[in-house]
Amino acid sequence: MMQGLVIRDLVKEYVPGKPVLRGIKLTIEAQGITAVIGPSGTGKSTLLRCINRLVEPTQGEIRLNGEDLVPLKGHALRMARRRIGMVFQEYNLVERLSVMENVLSGRLGYVSFWRAWLRRYAEEDIARAFELLEAVGLPEQATRRADALSGGQRQRVGIARALMQRPELLLADEPTSSLDPRTAIEIMELMTGLSTSARVPLIVNIHNVDLARRFAQRIIGMAGGEIVFDGPPEHLEASHLRQIYGGEDWL
Amino acid sequence: MNALMREWQRFTPAERIGRWAAYFIIVLALIWALRGIEIIPEFLADAPEQMLDLLARMWPPHLGHYHPAVHEALVETLHIASLGTLFSFIFAVPLALMAARNICPYAWLNTLAQLALVTSRSVNSLVWALIFVAIFGPGAAAGTFAIAFRSIGFVGKLLAEALEEISPGPQEALRATGAPDSHVILKGVWPQISPAFWGVALFRWDINIRESAVLGLVGAGGIGVVLDDAINFFQWDRVATILLAILGIVILAEILVTKLRARLI
């Protein structure tokens, strides 16, 4: 059984005949940080969302630790999603719930409806949520409402929620694009640090090439729905960036 | 260019003709309507006199009549309004979930739910009351169902609109954790619509108190029954007491709803 993530011939067409992803082939090992760079609209988000099936792939194969995720439906799909954490650009917290409940909602794939309704989460889940809040630097904020937090704090909660799942894979879709430069670096440091210490592979879509170089061990460059660069940050040259983003005046 | 050509006019000649035609049609419709209601000139002439006479008969209100007959009817009205509102939610919440396009992905179910909601709204409470009096016989049960069935459309439509306005992000995030749909609705959707939900519930309860006050006119229980009797027996001082009681309860409900809304939202 192959550990890690193996994607084969992944195609996604939102409109028939206009593929956004054109046969992606990609293997990601069971640890390490991979950054996906590329211009807006090139399919980075679609690629990430195909992995946890928030977007339905048109064809292809996505294997996580050996299991093909593409044909899964219903219960089996939810079981697979529990193993994949995701961090979003707009944080996607439930604004009117407390920080604690947002973190605990990472366990919603595990608890029964009545327990969720009555807020009777398991003791160990609550203990872990407190640990994670400490790890992301928000130990005092558990009872605050999510809409009272700043952008950086919200993303910290988003990271805690994703890790609450004890995922086998962590996806992050532009996690720093809504943040100021300093907070962006802090968030990247936090996310890469936590995923490394938990030995969870992290795939992060990112606009900022410098951040990608600084934090990732591997960079995937996408353009026009295809992978045009795949290698360590040291190998990423100006010629590759021209190929990925087009033009050269900006370099 | 000729200076005269720069003259500015608000409407083109065609628009002006159209506007005059519209005014003409409105006046014609008014005349037609006035002829239709068949005002009897003699009755119109002594209307002020009749009104004063009625007020004189109402004054002073027979307040002793309030207890027990009017009081009991008033409490029954409150029960009809409250139970009717509660029952309406049992049907309105599932219908709203089915009608909201971002919650229910099946277009045919959206349409079906919307059709049900429109049907409920298109029938007036009094007409619903007539139907349920025929089914259950006269009494508070008919009134309760009339209130409930009229409210389903109102509550369902407003809830469906609130549902369609929520942000999709939290739902997406919860689905990504592997949560089943029921959990997503509980933790991702409900927190977003709960202010709207309580707002609609209180508002409809407020409306239902006023509506249930008249249902007795068709025999569906509540204070309207007492009002109808008093009018039929020409006991105008009693009518005044009943009208004052309705005014009182409506004001009280209004105050209560305003206070609760400030607390809940």
Side-chain angles (χ1 to χ4, degrees):
Chain A
M1 192 170 85
M2 167 76 199
Q3 288 300 301
L5 185 74
V6 182
I7 298 176
R8 279 202 206 110
D9 306 321
L10 179 64
V11 175
K12 172 62 188 175
E13 297 173 341
Y14 289 102
V15 181
K18 288 184 179 173
V20 175
L21 298 176
R22 303 163 183 267
I24 300 284
K25 276 188 194 60
L26 186 60
T27 302
I28 288 172
E29 281 163 33
Q31 54 188 317
I33 291 145
T34 307
V36 182
I37 61 170
S40 308
T42 198
K44 303 195 298 291
S45 270
T46 302
L47 172 62
L48 235 58
R49 282 173 160 73
C50 278
I51 296 172
N52 63 0
R53 294 275 304 279
L54 289 177
V55 165
E56 285 302 315
T58 306
Q59 66 181 64
E61 200 180 286
I62 300 170
R63 287 185 182 276
L64 177 62
N65 298 340
E67 186 189 15
D68 189 0
L69 305 177
V70 175
L72 297 181
K73 283 196 177 92
H75 182 73
L77 174 60
R78 291 201 301 277
M79 293 300 109
R81 279 178 177 159
R82 298 202 306 199
R83 297 152 56 199
I84 307 171
M86 189 161 190
V87 176
F88 297 85
Q89 177 179 352
E90 296 297 338
Y91 330 124
N92 286 0
L93 303 183
V94 185
E95 304 270 296
R96 290 172 49 84
L97 294 183
S98 68
V99 166
M100 190 61 177
E101 255 202 285
N102 269 290
V103 176
L104 284 169
S105 65
R107 298 303 288 178
L108 281 181
Y110 292 86
V111 299
S112 71
F113 182 82
W114 301 111
R115 279 188 169 268
W117 192 31
L118 301 169
R119 300 184 163 89
R120 296 179 72 94
Y121 292 92
E123 281 298 319
E124 55 166 316
D125 286 349
I126 293 170
R128 178 164 167 79
F130 273 118
E131 269 168 41
L132 281 170
L133 279 178
E134 197 138 336
V136 298
L138 299 171
E140 308 294 327
Q141 316 279 0
T143 55
R144 286 182 80 189
R145 249 169 64 158
D147 52 10
L149 303 181
S150 69
Q153 288 175 320
R154 286 180 200 208
Q155 196 57 294
R156 286 164 192 268
V157 178
I159 293 167
R161 174 174 65 190
L163 290 172
M164 195 67 204
Q165 291 172 242
R166 294 184 190 274
E168 292 164 32
L169 171 67
L170 192 57
L171 308 172
D173 188 21
E174 304 281 358
T176 60
S177 298
S178 305
L179 302 171
D180 65 72
R182 186 184 145 193
T183 312
I185 289 172
E186 288 170 1
I187 289 292
M188 282 303 289
E189 264 172 359
L190 183 68
M191 201 164 52
T192 52
L194 287 173
S195 63
T196 306
S197 64
R199 294 165 174 271
V200 178
L202 167 67
I203 306 174
V204 52
N205 280 346
I206 197 156
H207 269 304
N208 188 319
V209 178
D210 294 330
L211 279 182
R213 274 191 214 269
R214 179 165 161 185
F215 289 101
Q217 286 117 43
R218 178 177 173 190
I219 290 183
I220 312 264
M222 282 181 68
E226 285 171 332
I227 292 173
V228 295
F229 174 85
D230 184 356
E234 317 73 274
H235 293 180
L236 186 67
E237 311 272 350
S239 63
H240 297 121
L241 291 175
R242 260 201 301 280
Q243 198 189 348
I244 295 167
Y245 291 98
E248 49 192 300
D249 294 344
W250 61 277
L251 279 168
Chain B
M1 280 295 271
N2 190 331
L4 276 176
M5 291 295 285
R6 304 181 73 180
E7 190 182 338
W8 176 80
Q9 285 188 326
R10 173 72 177 77
F11 299 108
T12 64
E15 276 175 333
R16 236 172 294 154
I17 291 168
R19 286 166 67 85
W20 280 113
Y23 289 141
F24 187 64
I25 289 167
I26 289 169
V27 171
L28 268 186
L30 254 172
I31 293 170
W32 187 24
L34 280 174
R35 287 169 63 104
I37 61 173
E38 291 176 10
I39 294 173
I40 300 164
E42 298 81 45
F43 282 20
L44 190 66
D46 75 346
E49 201 182 317
Q50 293 286 346
M51 213 112 118
L52 281 175
D53 181 48
L54 200 60
L55 283 176
R57 285 166 197 260
M58 282 188 177
W59 194 262
H62 184 351
L63 293 177
H65 182 61
Y66 178 77
H67 207 78
V70 177
H71 180 74
E72 275 166 16
L74 199 62
V75 170
E76 193 176 65
T77 296
L78 273 176
H79 289 332
I80 293 172
S82 305
L83 274 181
T85 311
L86 203 66
F87 283 159
S88 76
F89 272 81
I90 294 170
F91 295 98
V93 169
L95 280 173
L97 287 170
M98 278 193 272
R101 276 169 297 232
N102 55 339
I103 306 287
C104 170
Y106 307 106
W108 64 273
L109 261 181
N110 299 151
T111 314
L112 201 71
Q114 256 146 10
L115 197 69
L117 294 177
V118 170
T119 309
S120 153
R121 276 205 309 282
S122 68
V123 179
N124 187 282
S125 306
L126 275 175
V127 180
W128 277 120
L130 283 169
I131 293 170
F132 284 112
V133 165
I135 296 171
F136 295 113
T144 306
F145 278 90
I147 288 294
F149 273 71
R150 172 62 182 83
S151 303
I152 289 169
F154 179 92
V155 170
K157 182 189 159 75
L158 290 183
L159 282 185
E161 278 172 5
L163 281 169
E164 287 190 343
E165 278 165 20
I166 65 174
S167 116
Q171 280 166 271
E172 188 186 37
L174 296 191
R175 219 176 306 125
T177 69
D181 290 344
S182 55
H183 293 48
V184 174
I185 287 175
L186 177 72
K187 293 292 178 183
V189 175
W190 165 250
Q192 293 195 66
I193 63 151
S194 73
F197 178 90
W198 292 116
V200 170
L202 289 172
F203 185 33
R204 191 62 220 184
W205 181 71
D206 187 18
I207 294 173
N208 282 346
I209 286 181
R210 278 174 270 143
E211 293 218 329
S212 58
V214 297
L215 290 183
L217 297 178
V218 295
I223 200 162
V225 177
V226 189
L227 180 65
D228 195 34
D229 287 348
I231 292 174
N232 288 339
F233 290 114
F234 305 113
Q235 296 165 328
W236 296 106
D237 49 354
R238 289 187 166 196
V239 170
T241 308
I242 295 163
L243 291 179
L244 281 174
I246 294 175
L247 181 68
I249 198 75
V250 167
I251 290 173
L252 274 179
E254 180 93 30
I255 292 170
L256 188 70
V257 163
T258 312
K259 290 239 155 114
L260 274 177
R261 183 172 304 162
R263 277 267 177 106
L264 281 170
I265 298 167

Short mmCIF file of all heavy atoms in Angstrom, two decimals, chain A residues 103-146:
data_model
loop_
_atom_site.label_atom_id
_atom_site.label_comp_id
_atom_site.label_asym_id
_atom_site.label_seq_id
_atom_site.Cartn_x
_atom_site.Cartn_y
_atom_site.Cartn_z
N VAL A 103 -13.68 25.11 17.27
CA VAL A 103 -12.61 24.11 17.27
C VAL A 103 -13.21 22.71 17.38
O VAL A 103 -12.85 21.80 16.64
CB VAL A 103 -11.62 24.38 18.43
CG1 VAL A 103 -10.56 23.29 18.48
CG2 VAL A 103 -10.96 25.74 18.25
N LEU A 104 -14.18 22.57 18.30
CA LEU A 104 -14.79 21.25 18.50
C LEU A 104 -15.55 20.77 17.26
O LEU A 104 -15.73 19.57 17.08
CB LEU A 104 -15.75 21.30 19.70
CG LEU A 104 -15.06 21.28 21.07
CD1 LEU A 104 -16.07 21.59 22.16
CD2 LEU A 104 -14.39 19.94 21.34
N SER A 105 -15.98 21.71 16.42
CA SER A 105 -16.72 21.28 15.23
C SER A 105 -15.82 20.46 14.29
O SER A 105 -16.32 19.80 13.39
CB SER A 105 -17.37 22.46 14.51
OG SER A 105 -16.39 23.32 14.01
N GLY A 106 -14.52 20.49 14.52
CA GLY A 106 -13.63 19.57 13.79
C GLY A 106 -13.93 18.11 14.10
O GLY A 106 -13.51 17.22 13.37
N ARG A 107 -14.66 17.86 15.20
CA ARG A 107 -15.02 16.49 15.57
C ARG A 107 -16.42 16.10 15.10
O ARG A 107 -16.91 15.03 15.46
CB ARG A 107 -14.96 16.30 17.09
CG ARG A 107 -13.61 16.52 17.69
CD ARG A 107 -12.53 15.66 17.12
NE ARG A 107 -12.62 14.25 17.51
CZ ARG A 107 -11.80 13.32 17.09
NH1 ARG A 107 -10.83 13.62 16.23
NH2 ARG A 107 -11.94 12.08 17.49
N LEU A 108 -17.07 16.96 14.32
CA LEU A 108 -18.47 16.69 13.96
C LEU A 108 -18.64 15.40 13.15
O LEU A 108 -19.72 14.84 13.10
CB LEU A 108 -19.07 17.87 13.19
CG LEU A 108 -19.50 19.05 14.05
CD1 LEU A 108 -20.09 20.14 13.18
CD2 LEU A 108 -20.51 18.63 15.11
N GLY A 109 -17.56 14.95 12.52
CA GLY A 109 -17.64 13.68 11.80
C GLY A 109 -17.67 12.49 12.75
O GLY A 109 -17.95 11.37 12.32
N TYR A 110 -17.39 12.74 14.03
CA TYR A 110 -17.29 11.63 14.99
C TYR A 110 -18.44 11.59 15.99
O TYR A 110 -18.77 10.53 16.49
CB TYR A 110 -15.97 11.75 15.78
CG TYR A 110 -14.75 11.52 14.92
CD1 TYR A 110 -14.18 12.57 14.20
CD2 TYR A 110 -14.18 10.26 14.82
CE1 TYR A 110 -13.07 12.35 13.41
CE2 TYR A 110 -13.06 10.04 14.04
CZ TYR A 110 -12.51 11.09 13.33
OH TYR A 110 -11.43 10.88 12.53
N VAL A 111 -19.00 12.76 16.33
CA VAL A 111 -20.01 12.76 17.41
C VAL A 111 -21.41 12.58 16.84
O VAL A 111 -21.67 12.89 15.68
CB VAL A 111 -19.96 14.07 18.24
CG1 VAL A 111 -18.62 14.23 18.89
CG2 VAL A 111 -20.30 15.27 17.38
N SER A 112 -22.32 12.07 17.70
CA SER A 112 -23.70 11.87 17.26
C SER A 112 -24.41 13.22 17.25
O SER A 112 -23.97 14.19 17.87
CB SER A 112 -24.43 10.93 18.21
OG SER A 112 -24.64 11.59 19.44
N PHE A 113 -25.55 13.25 16.51
CA PHE A 113 -26.32 14.50 16.39
C PHE A 113 -26.73 15.02 17.76
O PHE A 113 -26.62 16.21 18.04
CB PHE A 113 -27.55 14.23 15.53
CG PHE A 113 -28.41 15.44 15.30
CD1 PHE A 113 -28.08 16.36 14.32
CD2 PHE A 113 -29.54 15.65 16.07
CE1 PHE A 113 -28.86 17.48 14.10
CE2 PHE A 113 -30.33 16.78 15.86
CZ PHE A 113 -29.99 17.69 14.88
N TRP A 114 -27.19 14.11 18.63
CA TRP A 114 -27.71 14.57 19.93
C TRP A 114 -26.61 15.13 20.80
O TRP A 114 -26.79 16.14 21.46
CB TRP A 114 -28.44 13.43 20.64
CG TRP A 114 -29.56 12.95 19.79
CD1 TRP A 114 -29.65 11.75 19.16
CD2 TRP A 114 -30.74 13.68 19.44
NE1 TRP A 114 -30.81 11.70 18.42
CE2 TRP A 114 -31.49 12.87 18.57
CE3 TRP A 114 -31.21 14.97 19.74
CZ2 TRP A 114 -32.70 13.28 18.03
CZ3 TRP A 114 -32.41 15.38 19.20
CH2 TRP A 114 -33.14 14.53 18.35
N ARG A 115 -25.44 14.47 20.75
CA ARG A 115 -24.31 14.98 21.52
C ARG A 115 -23.90 16.36 21.01
O ARG A 115 -23.60 17.26 21.79
CB ARG A 115 -23.13 14.02 21.43
CG ARG A 115 -23.29 12.88 22.41
CD ARG A 115 -22.02 12.04 22.46
NE ARG A 115 -22.10 11.13 23.59
CZ ARG A 115 -21.63 11.42 24.79
NH1 ARG A 115 -21.01 12.56 25.02
NH2 ARG A 115 -21.77 10.57 25.78
N ALA A 116 -23.90 16.52 19.67
CA ALA A 116 -23.53 17.81 19.10
C ALA A 116 -24.56 18.87 19.51
O ALA A 116 -24.22 20.00 19.85
CB ALA A 116 -23.45 17.72 17.58
N TRP A 117 -25.85 18.46 19.51
CA TRP A 117 -26.91 19.40 19.83
C TRP A 117 -26.82 19.86 21.28
O TRP A 117 -26.93 21.03 21.60
CB TRP A 117 -28.28 18.76 19.56
CG TRP A 117 -29.39 19.74 19.58
CD1 TRP A 117 -29.32 21.06 19.22
CD2 TRP A 117 -30.74 19.50 19.96
NE1 TRP A 117 -30.54 21.65 19.36
CE2 TRP A 117 -31.43 20.72 19.82
CE3 TRP A 117 -31.42 18.37 20.42
CZ2 TRP A 117 -32.78 20.84 20.11
CZ3 TRP A 117 -32.77 18.51 20.70
CH2 TRP A 117 -33.44 19.72 20.54
N LEU A 118 -26.61 18.88 22.17
CA LEU A 118 -26.53 19.19 23.60
C LEU A 118 -25.13 19.64 24.02
O LEU A 118 -24.88 19.87 25.19
CB LEU A 118 -26.93 17.95 24.41
CG LEU A 118 -28.34 17.45 24.13
CD1 LEU A 118 -28.57 16.08 24.77
CD2 LEU A 118 -29.37 18.45 24.65
N ARG A 119 -24.24 19.76 23.05
CA ARG A 119 -22.85 20.18 23.29
C ARG A 119 -22.15 19.25 24.27
O ARG A 119 -21.36 19.70 25.09
CB ARG A 119 -22.81 21.62 23.80
CG ARG A 119 -23.40 22.62 22.83
CD ARG A 119 -23.25 24.02 23.36
NE ARG A 119 -23.43 25.02 22.31
CZ ARG A 119 -24.61 25.55 22.00
NH1 ARG A 119 -25.69 25.17 22.63
NH2 ARG A 119 -24.71 26.45 21.05
N ARG A 120 -22.48 17.96 24.22
CA ARG A 120 -21.81 17.01 25.11
C ARG A 120 -20.70 16.32 24.34
O ARG A 120 -20.80 15.15 23.97
CB ARG A 120 -22.82 15.99 25.64
CG ARG A 120 -23.88 16.63 26.50
CD ARG A 120 -24.87 15.59 26.97
NE ARG A 120 -24.27 14.73 27.97
CZ ARG A 120 -24.39 14.96 29.28
NH1 ARG A 120 -25.06 15.99 29.71
NH2 ARG A 120 -23.86 14.16 30.13
N TYR A 121 -19.61 17.05 24.13
CA TYR A 121 -18.45 16.48 23.45
C TYR A 121 -17.66 15.65 24.47
O TYR A 121 -17.73 15.90 25.67
CB TYR A 121 -17.57 17.59 22.89
CG TYR A 121 -18.23 18.34 21.76
CD1 TYR A 121 -18.97 19.50 21.99
CD2 TYR A 121 -18.13 17.88 20.45
CE1 TYR A 121 -19.59 20.18 20.96
CE2 TYR A 121 -18.74 18.57 19.41
CZ TYR A 121 -19.47 19.71 19.67
OH TYR A 121 -20.07 20.38 18.65
N ALA A 122 -16.90 14.68 23.97
CA ALA A 122 -16.12 13.81 24.86
C ALA A 122 -15.08 14.63 25.61
O ALA A 122 -14.55 15.61 25.08
CB ALA A 122 -15.46 12.71 24.05
N GLU A 123 -14.79 14.20 26.85
CA GLU A 123 -13.81 14.88 27.69
C GLU A 123 -12.47 15.04 26.95
O GLU A 123 -11.85 16.10 26.99
CB GLU A 123 -13.57 14.09 28.97
CG GLU A 123 -14.65 14.29 30.03
CD GLU A 123 -14.74 15.74 30.48
OE1 GLU A 123 -13.67 16.36 30.66
OE2 GLU A 123 -15.86 16.25 30.64
N GLU A 124 -12.05 13.96 26.28
CA GLU A 124 -10.73 14.03 25.64
C GLU A 124 -10.74 15.00 24.46
O GLU A 124 -9.72 15.63 24.17
CB GLU A 124 -10.28 12.63 25.20
CG GLU A 124 -11.26 11.92 24.30
CD GLU A 124 -10.64 10.71 23.63
OE1 GLU A 124 -9.49 10.82 23.15
OE2 GLU A 124 -11.30 9.67 23.60
N ASP A 125 -11.90 15.14 23.80
CA ASP A 125 -11.99 16.11 22.71
C ASP A 125 -11.83 17.53 23.27
O ASP A 125 -11.15 18.37 22.68
CB ASP A 125 -13.34 16.01 22.00
CG ASP A 125 -13.41 14.77 21.12
OD1 ASP A 125 -12.35 14.14 20.91
OD2 ASP A 125 -14.51 14.44 20.64
N ILE A 126 -12.50 17.79 24.40
CA ILE A 126 -12.42 19.12 24.99
C ILE A 126 -10.99 19.40 25.46
O ILE A 126 -10.44 20.48 25.22
CB ILE A 126 -13.43 19.24 26.16
CG1 ILE A 126 -14.85 19.18 25.58
CG2 ILE A 126 -13.23 20.54 26.93
CD1 ILE A 126 -15.93 19.05 26.62
N ALA A 127 -10.36 18.39 26.06
CA ALA A 127 -8.97 18.56 26.51
C ALA A 127 -8.07 18.86 25.31
O ALA A 127 -7.23 19.76 25.35
CB ALA A 127 -8.51 17.30 27.23
N ARG A 128 -8.30 18.13 24.21
CA ARG A 128 -7.48 18.36 23.02
C ARG A 128 -7.73 19.74 22.44
O ARG A 128 -6.80 20.40 21.97
CB ARG A 128 -7.76 17.28 21.98
CG ARG A 128 -6.98 17.47 20.70
CD ARG A 128 -6.96 16.21 19.85
NE ARG A 128 -6.49 16.51 18.49
CZ ARG A 128 -5.21 16.65 18.19
NH1 ARG A 128 -4.29 16.54 19.12
NH2 ARG A 128 -4.85 16.91 16.94
N ALA A 129 -8.98 20.17 22.46
CA ALA A 129 -9.30 21.50 21.93
C ALA A 129 -8.56 22.57 22.72
O ALA A 129 -8.01 23.52 22.14
CB ALA A 129 -10.81 21.74 21.99
N PHE A 130 -8.50 22.42 24.05
CA PHE A 130 -7.76 23.39 24.86
C PHE A 130 -6.27 23.35 24.51
O PHE A 130 -5.63 24.39 24.38
CB PHE A 130 -7.96 23.11 26.36
CG PHE A 130 -9.18 23.79 26.91
CD1 PHE A 130 -10.23 23.05 27.44
CD2 PHE A 130 -9.29 25.18 26.90
CE1 PHE A 130 -11.36 23.68 27.94
CE2 PHE A 130 -10.41 25.82 27.41
CZ PHE A 130 -11.45 25.06 27.93
N GLU A 131 -5.73 22.13 24.34
CA GLU A 131 -4.32 21.99 23.95
C GLU A 131 -4.05 22.72 22.64
O GLU A 131 -3.08 23.45 22.50
CB GLU A 131 -3.96 20.52 23.74
CG GLU A 131 -3.45 19.79 24.96
CD GLU A 131 -3.43 18.30 24.71
OE1 GLU A 131 -3.04 17.88 23.59
OE2 GLU A 131 -3.82 17.54 25.63
N LEU A 132 -4.96 22.50 21.66
CA LEU A 132 -4.75 23.11 20.35
C LEU A 132 -4.87 24.62 20.42
O LEU A 132 -4.12 25.34 19.78
CB LEU A 132 -5.76 22.54 19.34
CG LEU A 132 -5.41 21.16 18.79
CD1 LEU A 132 -6.56 20.58 18.01
CD2 LEU A 132 -4.17 21.26 17.90
N LEU A 133 -5.81 25.11 21.23
CA LEU A 133 -5.95 26.56 21.37
C LEU A 133 -4.66 27.15 21.94
O LEU A 133 -4.23 28.23 21.55
CB LEU A 133 -7.14 26.91 22.26
CG LEU A 133 -8.49 26.87 21.56
CD1 LEU A 133 -9.61 27.19 22.54
CD2 LEU A 133 -8.53 27.88 20.41
N GLU A 134 -4.05 26.41 22.85
CA GLU A 134 -2.77 26.85 23.40
C GLU A 134 -1.71 26.83 22.31
O GLU A 134 -0.94 27.78 22.16
CB GLU A 134 -2.38 25.92 24.54
CG GLU A 134 -1.32 26.50 25.42
CD GLU A 134 -1.63 26.24 26.89
OE1 GLU A 134 -2.81 26.02 27.23
OE2 GLU A 134 -0.69 26.22 27.68
N ALA A 135 -1.71 25.73 21.53
CA ALA A 135 -0.70 25.58 20.49
C ALA A 135 -0.80 26.68 19.43
O ALA A 135 0.22 27.13 18.90
CB ALA A 135 -0.82 24.21 19.84
N VAL A 136 -2.03 27.15 19.15
CA VAL A 136 -2.16 28.19 18.12
C VAL A 136 -2.11 29.58 18.75
O VAL A 136 -2.30 30.59 18.07
CB VAL A 136 -3.45 28.04 17.27
CG1 VAL A 136 -3.46 26.73 16.52
CG2 VAL A 136 -4.70 28.19 18.13
N GLY A 137 -1.86 29.65 20.05
CA GLY A 137 -1.65 30.95 20.69
C GLY A 137 -2.91 31.67 21.11
O GLY A 137 -2.94 32.90 21.19
N LEU A 138 -4.00 30.92 21.34
CA LEU A 138 -5.23 31.56 21.79
C LEU A 138 -5.75 30.92 23.08
O LEU A 138 -6.92 30.59 23.18
CB LEU A 138 -6.32 31.45 20.71
CG LEU A 138 -6.08 32.10 19.35
CD1 LEU A 138 -7.16 31.69 18.36
CD2 LEU A 138 -6.04 33.61 19.47
N PRO A 139 -4.90 30.76 24.08
CA PRO A 139 -5.36 30.00 25.25
C PRO A 139 -6.49 30.68 26.02
O PRO A 139 -7.27 30.01 26.68
CB PRO A 139 -4.10 29.88 26.11
CG PRO A 139 -3.24 31.01 25.70
CD PRO A 139 -3.54 31.26 24.26
N GLU A 140 -6.58 32.01 25.93
CA GLU A 140 -7.57 32.72 26.75
C GLU A 140 -8.87 32.99 26.01
O GLU A 140 -9.77 33.62 26.54
CB GLU A 140 -6.98 34.07 27.20
CG GLU A 140 -5.62 33.97 27.88
CD GLU A 140 -5.70 33.23 29.19
OE1 GLU A 140 -6.73 33.36 29.88
OE2 GLU A 140 -4.73 32.51 29.54
N GLN A 141 -8.95 32.56 24.75
CA GLN A 141 -10.06 33.04 23.91
C GLN A 141 -11.18 32.03 23.75
O GLN A 141 -12.11 32.26 22.98
CB GLN A 141 -9.54 33.40 22.51
CG GLN A 141 -8.26 34.19 22.50
CD GLN A 141 -8.47 35.65 22.76
OE1 GLN A 141 -9.61 36.08 22.94
NE2 GLN A 141 -7.41 36.42 22.81
N ALA A 142 -11.15 30.92 24.47
CA ALA A 142 -12.08 29.82 24.21
C ALA A 142 -13.55 30.25 24.22
O ALA A 142 -14.34 29.77 23.40
CB ALA A 142 -11.86 28.71 25.22
N THR A 143 -13.92 31.15 25.11
CA THR A 143 -15.34 31.47 25.24
C THR A 143 -15.76 32.68 24.40
O THR A 143 -16.93 33.01 24.36
CB THR A 143 -15.70 31.76 26.70
OG1 THR A 143 -14.83 32.79 27.17
CG2 THR A 143 -15.54 30.52 27.57
N ARG A 144 -14.81 33.31 23.71
CA ARG A 144 -15.19 34.46 22.88
C ARG A 144 -15.91 34.00 21.63
O ARG A 144 -15.68 32.91 21.11
CB ARG A 144 -13.97 35.27 22.49
CG ARG A 144 -13.41 36.08 23.63
CD ARG A 144 -12.24 36.89 23.16
NE ARG A 144 -12.65 38.10 22.46
CZ ARG A 144 -11.79 38.88 21.80
NH1 ARG A 144 -10.52 38.55 21.72
NH2 ARG A 144 -12.21 39.98 21.20
N ARG A 145 -16.78 34.88 21.13
CA ARG A 145 -17.44 34.53 19.88
C ARG A 145 -16.47 34.75 18.72
O ARG A 145 -15.68 35.69 18.73
CB ARG A 145 -18.69 35.38 19.70
CG ARG A 145 -19.96 34.55 19.82
CD ARG A 145 -21.17 35.39 19.92
NE ARG A 145 -21.41 36.17 18.71
CZ ARG A 145 -22.61 36.65 18.38
NH1 ARG A 145 -23.65 36.39 19.14
NH2 ARG A 145 -22.76 37.37 17.31
N ALA A 146 -16.58 33.88 17.71
CA ALA A 146 -15.63 33.93 16.58
C ALA A 146 -15.66 35.28 15.89
O ALA A 146 -14.63 35.76 15.41
CB ALA A 146 -15.93 32.81 15.60
#
